[in-house]
Amino acid sequence: MEGQMTFEFDKRPTIKGYPELRWTGKRPYESTQYYPAQLRERYGEETNGWINKIFWGDNLQVMSHLLKEYRGKIDLIYIDPPFDSKADYKKKIKMKNTGTALSDTSTFEEKQYGDIWTNDEYLQFMYERLVLLKELLSDTGSIFLHCDDSRNFYLRCLLSEIFGEENFRNEIIWKRSTATGLATKRCGTLHDTIYWYSKTENYYFEMQYHEYEEDYLKRARKDENGRMYIPIPTGNPGPRPNLYYEYKGYLPHANGYKWTREKMEELDRQGRLIFPESPDGRIQYKQYLDEMKGTKLQDIWLDVYPVNPVAKERNGYPTQKSEALLERIIKMCSPQNGLVLDCFMGSGTTQAVSMKLGRKFIGADINLGAIQTTTKRLINVANELHSQLQDEIKYTGFEVYNVNNYDFFRNPVEAKDLVVQALEIQPFSQSDVWDGELDGRMVKIMPVNRIATKADLEELKANLPYKTYEKRKAENPTQPVERITIVCMGHEPDLKAALEQELSEYKMDIEIVDILRDKKDLQLKREAEAEIVREGNKLVIRSFYPMNLMQKLSLQREYV
């Protein structure tokens, strides 16, 4: 594959006795290829040589693109992927003077969230993306995967298989809603699960705290100087025979004291010990509230609330998460100026919070609605930050890219027509196998909105006219029984070899036409584009780009 950059991944060895998730059609994901990106828009300027990046396209291709520059460089990954909940999410659109409408279209990815796969497809989908995410993560980095109860048990298995069970850090339970009366034959579901894995044992971590609970503060006492403190036990949580000793006539808990005798004497001199009136009582320690940041964060989060209906940050996106949730995760597991990735970007909460906290970010989503929502949101955040005096560096500039010319190919029906016209294929309208004929060769167009995989060949192999091939083989054993052209927008490196091996009992002439590589100068029909705004009672066309100009611009792939 001359001129094409590929990336290979280390295969994690099978560990004897360790369970591994299996599903129908599970395929190892051991390599990918580089996909180019096309700059669409730019907002703001670079800061210290960096500008944030937003990508529109299949995140498998986006991450394949990112490997070239960011392999092993991402400090924190947060993803809120589709949950396979058999739901189609729709975005509410508010129209002036007409109330509220639900957006809905039937084209490929225009639904804000097409969460409707079969179980096996979903697992392979997530498996491949988690492999790439691990490749992008730095050795000190962490990944947080947000999910609900519909597939969390599968996702935990996938994460352990890819990142290693030894790198599991926490299963965080986030209470995302209050009590609901919708459940009638089961308990109401109030929480989501967030799995936290690190790349290695040497991961970045900054402990977070939340305010003391009211019941805890009721235990507080005031010392002679007016300082508030909580009496806490001095007993060791685990058995420590070497710390079992009598101090001023008082014996410790059966496990022993927390500290050595020398440390106890030092605390005594500081007035930090509370001695009981009864000789059978136990010594306590004064923990002053003004010395603590709060209660250390645990794995059940009850104090972070979902986005309420009237919140300033609310934008109507169906799966929007609260900024407070992302703020906690980003502060906890990424350094100042660190790089944060969310490749299931949605409404852009991860990117907005990263910008506010002085982190660099990369975002991606397959939905145009997500790109538009996030772009508008980030522009507003940047304007707010520019209007305020900042103590720390903020990275407010960002660029928006297509990957793999996704704007052409997001609708597979229209995309196939574009390819047929551009390659001058004679289409077959009635064939169950072939899409058309080109120069005496049978043409099969693979899904053009993503990388073609060996799994995509299954339908073709199942429908081939094998009886006809047997006849041709008998009549002309030295000649190919079929001349096949496979057309795709990128493919797995061994796609051709895999098909030849599967059909090895027949002599075949197989050709792979990769539009990105072999037909990169191909002119695909572009529609005219325009910017139209409403001013009073008039529609004003501010800018207009005719079709022939767009065709010329499409040839300047990396520069325009």
Side-chain angles (χ1 to χ4, degrees), residues 142-348:
S142 291
I143 179 172
F144 288 76
L145 189 154
H146 191 136
C147 54
D148 68 3
D149 61 348
S150 62
R151 289 294 178 271
N152 58 1
F153 48 100
Y154 288 139
L155 294 170
R156 169 76 185 269
C157 287
L158 288 179
L159 285 163
S160 290
E161 178 179 338
I162 294 166
F163 288 89
E165 184 65 19
E166 69 276 10
N167 291 315
F168 168 73
R169 299 298 159 217
N170 273 118
E171 178 185 34
I172 297 166
I173 303 301
W174 174 49
K175 184 182 178 183
R176 58 174 167 76
S177 63
T178 55
T180 173
L182 297 178
T184 58
K185 294 187 177 182
R186 54 171 285 184
C187 298
T189 302
L190 304 181
H191 79 277
D192 283 349
T193 301
I194 303 174
Y195 290 121
W196 170 20
Y197 281 73
S198 62
K199 178 78 169 282
T200 67
E201 293 184 356
N202 182 32
Y203 57 96
Y204 179 90
F205 175 68
E206 184 75 28
M207 175 57 76
Q208 300 297 297
Y209 300 83
H210 56 80
E211 294 182 1
Y212 293 113
E213 295 180 3
E214 188 175 338
D215 289 343
Y216 182 80
L217 292 175
K218 287 179 180 179
R219 297 171 49 205
R221 302 176 187 177
K222 188 180 293 186
D223 71 2
E224 61 276 10
N225 298 315
R227 293 178 69 193
M228 301 299 293
Y229 70 89
I230 299 288
I232 65 173
T234 56
N236 203 297
R240 294 291 300 274
N242 60 318
L243 295 179
Y244 192 89
Y245 55 85
E246 180 184 303
Y247 188 77
K248 290 189 175 182
Y250 296 98
L251 293 174
H253 182 275
N255 288 339
Y257 284 115
K258 289 181 179 178
W259 310 287
T260 62
R261 182 181 292 276
E262 292 75 15
K263 180 66 175 178
M264 286 286 283
E265 291 172 349
E266 180 184 346
L267 294 172
D268 195 0
R269 289 192 297 270
Q270 295 173 355
R272 302 294 292 261
L273 299 182
I274 306 170
F275 294 93
E277 296 179 0
S278 169
D280 297 329
R282 294 197 174 99
I283 301 172
Q284 293 181 302
Y285 169 73
K286 295 178 182 178
Q287 178 64 70
Y288 286 103
L289 296 181
D290 57 16
E291 294 177 341
M292 298 293 290
K293 298 179 181 179
T295 302
K296 286 186 176 181
L297 192 62
Q298 308 299 314
D299 61 2
I300 298 179
W301 295 0
L302 307 177
D303 60 331
V304 177
Y305 302 102
V307 183
N308 71 66
V310 295
K312 181 181 178 182
E313 65 185 90
R314 189 173 186 86
N315 54 38
Y317 205 85
T319 58
Q320 182 182 1
K321 299 301 183 291
S322 72
E323 292 192 2
L325 179 68
L326 270 299
E327 180 178 345
R328 174 170 290 179
I329 292 171
I330 291 171
K331 284 183 175 180
M332 184 167 67
C333 286
S334 73
Q336 191 70 26
N337 305 314
L339 181 54
V340 180
L341 168 66
D342 183 349
C343 62
F344 293 92
M345 187 175 62
S347 63

Side-chain angles (χ1 to χ4, degrees), residues 401-415:
Y401 290 84
N402 284 335
V403 169
N404 200 8
N405 293 288
Y406 187 72
D407 57 336
F408 277 147
F409 300 105
R410 60 195 176 102
N411 185 313
V413 177
E414 293 179 2

Side-chain angles (χ1 to χ4, degrees), residues 61-85:
Q61 296 181 4
V62 171
M63 289 187 283
S64 298
H65 169 82
L66 293 175
L67 284 173
K68 180 180 178 181
E69 188 172 352
Y70 300 104
R71 193 173 193 174
K73 295 182 180 180
I74 306 295
D75 295 300
L76 171 64
I77 296 170
Y78 168 87
I79 57 172
D80 178 18
F83 295 162
D84 189 23
S85 59

Side-chain angles (χ1 to χ4, degrees), residues 43 52-54 345 347-356 361 363 371-386 395-400:
Y43 301 91
N52 299 306
K53 293 171 176 60
I54 299 298
M345 187 175 62
S347 63
T349 301
T350 304
Q351 286 66 37
V353 176
S354 295
M355 184 182 286
K356 293 178 181 180
F361 64 80
I371 302 300
Q372 294 169 334
T373 299
T374 298
T375 298
K376 181 179 178 180
R377 183 175 186 175
L378 293 178
I379 291 172
N380 291 335
V381 171
N383 290 338
E384 288 179 10
L385 292 175
H386 291 155
Y395 301 90
T396 56
F398 67 98
E399 296 173 329
V400 181

